[in-house]
């Protein structure tokens, strides 16, 4: 029996070289089996990393608490190592590959001593789909193995698809906590080993490689997700003429039984999972989920953009998820899940802020400390970026076609941010170029999904600020080029999806949200659906096409016409400020900003000045 299940020479050589460098005590090739998943879980339980939840409450599920210094994606430690600084552009941290490779080699030398090196062959997207891509992640973390099992398709079927000479994205990940130090001394393991002082999340788009060191958390460590499916894939997509986007995909069916597929880009922790699994409040409408975080979009043989969800699971933000806000997510989480940095209830279940209106009387919070609901000074019991990992297939509203290798035809694209002021509830782009402009100027208040100042407003173009693997101005140009390929021009959308901007988060003078959100968002989606067929009412304004207040169906909703007007209002002073801010932002993106987007800005400026 050979000790490796492939005869792919380049893969074998890379694994051998990685093992020589990292010096693990053992190598395990992942086969994707349930037995392997259970072994990874048991390894975590034995190490004190995970605890099993009460099987009567959450069968086959575990809770993991991370090191408090390792709780989110670390954007300031994330690097695009393109051959030139220009390649990474002004929105990415750049590291010169010539300089960073020796540094990484030093860090990785001996970094897996005393641990198992796992080789995880995975497919992003259904195995064998023309849209899917294969990656292999090397890691020393059983937490990564278990999460990759849920988030991607892992195992021998992937190696078969790869054959003897298929191409794959190479990812090497280490938590950076060897059990034998450089001077040969053994050291004790800890429940969540990591090396927060030396974190590097490095991407080499030219050679399609990822090297991640020092963090075991989420997108820093599960390399299939942000590192492969967005940063490396976006660069690859540009070369090959497709799009790798930070978007959910949903199927929306009208009461007459007509279906449309909508892709929607929102920054991290702005409700993509809730929107993708929404329970519509309008009678007869149905939402089904294709994906909740990433979409790969390619032209099909019919000339239309077809999308797949390259993932196989959900890695969602737990706080705020409840039977009220997202019943489909709650049902998805009933079994076979990994919970990270949630609180533990006394009967062996998980809890997080917002799960129930009242917290339990006593909890063990995410650092493992006692937590009492009557302690006036207590902190949150679950970390604000606590996550669940759940298999997509067990979501009650997953669409039958969610893993169709051909993907689904995309009818509309939404761009959304979290903005308290001036950005209207919904707008429609006048044409593809204007749509790209609306995506390019997206902005949002920062959330806990990445380390940094929560609430600070930042530009997050197409929700890709932390995920675009190359120069953002070239990325905009690629979007414009895709439109041209899809037959869109100033007058027609050709085969391209219509583009909309949405903002569920506008607040009134009293600081309260004006729009109820959640299942009520169907009212906006209904308008979007109808606009795709040129059916609903629309008015031209200075900043885009906007529904007159009466055009959004508010039947049965307790909302005044005054509030609807406020939600859709274009306030001239705020928009004059917004135009200045966009000008300043474009100036930071350098001379390669595409001319058509500069023209869009000039037109916007002229229209807003005329208000
Ligand atoms: C995520 C993120 O985990 O965007 O999806 O941070
Ligand atoms: Mn995301």
């Amino acid at each position: 029996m050979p000790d490796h299940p492939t005869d792919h020479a380049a893969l074998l050589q890379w694994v051998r070289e990685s093992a020589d460098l990292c010096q693990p005590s053992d190598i395990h090739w992942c086969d994707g089996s349930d037995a392997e998943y259970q072994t990874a879980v048991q390894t975590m339980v034995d190490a004190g990393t995970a605890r099993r939840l009460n099987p009567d409450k959450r069968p086959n599920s575990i809770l993991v608490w991370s090191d408090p210094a390792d709780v989110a994606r670390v954007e300031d430690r994330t690097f695009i190592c393109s051959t030139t600084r220009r390649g990474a552009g002004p929105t990415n941290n750049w590291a010169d590959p010539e300089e960073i490779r020796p540094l990484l080699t030093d860090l990785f030398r001996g970094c897996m001593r005393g641990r198992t090196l796992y080789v995880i062959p995975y497919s992003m997207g259904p195995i064998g789909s023309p849209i899917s891509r294969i990656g292999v992640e090397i890691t020393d973390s059983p937490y990564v193995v278990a999460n990759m099992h849920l988030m991607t398709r892992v195992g021998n079927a992937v190696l078969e698809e790869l054959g003897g000479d298929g191409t794959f994205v190479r990812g090497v990940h280490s938590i950076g906590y060897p059990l034998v130090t450089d001077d040969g001394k053994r050291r004790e393991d800890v429940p969540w080993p990591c090396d927060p002082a030396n974190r590097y999340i490095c991407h080499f788009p030219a050679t399609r490689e990822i090297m991640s060191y020092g963090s075991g958390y989420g997108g820093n460590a599960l390399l299939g997700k942000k590192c492969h499916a967005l940063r490396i894939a976006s660069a690859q997509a540009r070369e090959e003429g497709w799009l790798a986007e930070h978007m959910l995909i949903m199927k929306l069916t009208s009461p007459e039984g007509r279906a449309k597929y909508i892709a929607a880009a929102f920054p991290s922790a702005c409700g993509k999972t809730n929107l993708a699994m929404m329970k519509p409040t309008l009678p007869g409408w149905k939402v089904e989920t294709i994906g909740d975080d990433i979409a790969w979009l390619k032209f099909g043989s019919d000339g239309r953009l077809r999308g797949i969800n390259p993932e196989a699971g959900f890695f969602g933000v737990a706080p705020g998820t409840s039977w009220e806000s997202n019943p489909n997510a709650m049902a998805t989480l009933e079994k076979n899940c990994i919970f990270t940095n949630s609180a533990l209830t006394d009967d062996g279940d998980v809890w997080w802020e917002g799960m129930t209106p009242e917290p339990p009387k006593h909890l063990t919070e995410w650092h493992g400390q006692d937590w009492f609901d009557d302690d006036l000074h207590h902190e949150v019991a679950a970390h604000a970026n606590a996550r669940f990992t759940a298999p997509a297939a067990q979501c009650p509203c997953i669409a039958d076609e969610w893993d169709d290798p051909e993907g689904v035809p995309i009818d509309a694209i939404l761009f959304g941010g979290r903005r308290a002021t001036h950005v209207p509830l919904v707008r429609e782009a006048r044409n593809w170029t204007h749509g790209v402009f609306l995506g390019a100027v997206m902005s949002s208040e920062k959330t806990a999904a990445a380390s940094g100042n929560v609430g600070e407003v930042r530009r997050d173009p197409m929700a890709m600020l932390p995920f675009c693997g190359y120069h953002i101005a070239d990325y905009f140009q690629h979007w414009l080029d895709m439109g041209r390929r899809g037959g869109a021009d100033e007058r027609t959308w050709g085969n391209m999806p219509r583009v909309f901007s949405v903002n569920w988060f506008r607040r009134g003078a009293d600081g309260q949200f004006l729009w109820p959100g959640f299942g009520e968002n169907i009212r906006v989606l209904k308008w979007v659906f109808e606009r795709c067929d040129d059916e609903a009412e629309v008015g031209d304004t200075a900043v885009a096409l906007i529904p007159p207040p009466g055009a959004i169906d508010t039947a049965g909703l307790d909302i005044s016409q005054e509030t609807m007007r406020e939600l859709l209002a274009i306030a001239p002073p705020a928009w004059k400020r917004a135009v200045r801010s966009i000008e300043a932002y474009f100036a930071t993106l350098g001379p390669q900003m595409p001319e058509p987007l500069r023209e869009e800005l000039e037109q916007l400026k002229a229209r807003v000045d005329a208000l």
Side-chain angles (χ1 to χ4, degrees), residues 73 219 225-226 246 267-269 272 293 315 387 449 467:
R73 287 184 292 97
K225 194 174 181 61
K226 305 300 184 182
H246 192 203
S268 307
K272 280 206 298 299
D293 194 42
F315 183 68
R387 296 282 179 145
F467 307 124

Side-chain angles (χ1 to χ4, degrees), residues 260-296:
K260 292 196 192 300
Y261 298 93
I262 300 182
F266 291 79
S268 307
C270 286
K272 280 206 298 299
T273 307
N274 289 344
L275 187 61
M277 298 181 189
M278 182 224 280
K279 276 222 161 133
T281 55
L282 281 179
W285 287 83
K286 187 155 125 194
V287 166
E288 291 162 281
T289 312
I290 307 282
D292 81 326
D293 194 42
I294 300 179
W296 283 359

Side-chain angles (χ1 to χ4, degrees), residues 366-449:
W366 70 279
H367 302 87
Q369 306 293 319
D370 277 328
W371 187 97
F372 297 93
D373 74 330
D374 55 359
D375 179 347
L376 294 180
H377 305 290
H378 65 63
E379 305 270 334
V380 287
H383 187 273
N385 191 36
R387 296 282 179 145
F388 52 76
T389 320
Q394 70 188 34
C395 175
C397 62
I398 200 82
D400 288 342
E401 59 274 52
W402 83 276
D403 57 355
D404 185 338
E406 297 303 316
V408 296
I410 303 297
D411 296 286
I413 290 176
L414 310 187
F415 291 122
R418 179 186 284 271
R419 289 307 307 263
T421 62
H422 81 278
V423 177
L425 178 63
V426 61
R427 302 179 267 179
E428 179 184 336
R430 294 192 187 87
N431 52 46
W432 180 257
T433 307
H434 186 222
V436 175
F437 178 78
L438 291 184
V441 303
M442 254 174 78
S443 55
S444 196
E445 292 147 25
K446 259 188 103 169
T447 67

